[in-house]
Amino acid sequence: MATFNKRGYKAPKPKAEQEEPVFVNEPESTVDNTDSVTAKTFDVLDETASKTEEFVEKNRKVIFAVLTVIVVGVLSYMLYDRFLVEPKEEEAATAIFSVQTNFQKALEAEGVKADSLFNIVLKGNRDGKGAIAVAADFSGSFAANLAHYYAGIAYLNTAKFDQAIEELSAFKSAETFTKASAIGAIGDAYSEKKMYDKALEQYLSASEVTKNDFTTPRYLLKAGKVALTLNKKADAATYFQRIKDEFENSPEAQNIDPLIILAQ
């Protein structure tokens, strides 16, 4: 039983802003001058301080050279971040915008036109790179991560299910709706491959990312239908009943009674 819905979830556009690092000053150590500190201890400290001053004086050039290397290293990193990393992120953001535009057009299209647009999402055209190239060329960036999502959904819509699973598995997100959508789409790919045990696992995982009236009943319904296919009627009945009891206002709950009866 295939449960794949060709209409994919639109992921949010990447944020251009990045948080500035926060540097915390380490607290200065304090010396607790108690009665236990003897005059002899102070003499030892004075002697140590004198030796330290002599060492600094004799090795002034070496110390200065080391400090210079450290400063140059820090400045080099700052220049690298400012003039190489930041422009790279900007270039990646421009590239992923083109992918997003074609992805939205593909979702709104039908039939052969949709397939053609999903292929452009994957491979790009003269107007911009595709998701595959963005993921490879800007590896490690926010745009590259998002490109894995777009590529996975595009592969899913063009019936390339193994590639869809690979790309969607590479996508990582802290945003709950997108994360649930990606996991659920992996379930769709397994369902299309008739690997129903794995599909069920993914649907349940997607339903548990966050409890809400959109993704939870959506993937509970898919889990229930796959459970019926696996002849796990008791499990299917549980999933369907949850939809009726906990998400009565969701679209999935409107016609859930016949499925509950079927699962009994």
Side-chain angles (χ1 to χ4, degrees), residues 71-188:
V71 171
V72 170
V74 172
L75 290 176
S76 297
Y77 174 79
M78 292 173 64
L79 291 173
Y80 171 82
D81 186 66
R82 177 67 181 85
F83 295 105
L84 183 60
V85 175
E86 287 185 10
K88 197 75 171 178
E89 286 287 353
E90 291 177 5
E91 184 182 352
T94 300
I96 199 63
F97 178 77
S98 175
V99 175
Q100 287 177 317
T101 301
N102 290 319
F103 181 79
Q104 183 60 45
K105 290 178 180 178
L107 290 180
E108 295 170 352
E110 299 289 344
V112 176
K113 184 177 180 181
D115 290 343
S116 177
L117 286 168
F118 277 123
N119 279 319
I120 292 176
V121 169
L122 288 167
K123 300 177 182 178
N125 56 19
R126 62 184 180 182
D127 295 325
K129 296 182 177 184
I132 298 173
V134 173
D137 295 347
F138 304 101
S139 179
S141 70
F142 182 91
N145 182 51
L146 198 57
H148 286 301
Y149 177 85
Y150 291 128
I153 298 298
Y155 276 131
L156 183 62
N157 279 276
T158 52
K160 297 178 180 178
F161 305 121
D162 289 330
Q163 294 94 322
I165 293 169
E166 181 179 355
E167 292 293 335
L168 290 166
S169 297
F171 172 70
K172 308 299 178 184
S173 177
E175 198 283 314
T176 54
F177 286 95
T178 314
K179 182 177 181 179
S181 177
I183 296 172
I186 294 174
D188 289 338

Side-chain angles (χ1 to χ4, degrees), residues 211-228:
K211 185 177 179 180
N212 61 78
D213 292 333
F214 176 66
T215 60
T216 307
R218 172 182 174 85
Y219 293 117
L220 282 175
L221 180 62
K222 292 192 175 192
K225 290 180 177 179
V226 169
L228 283 178

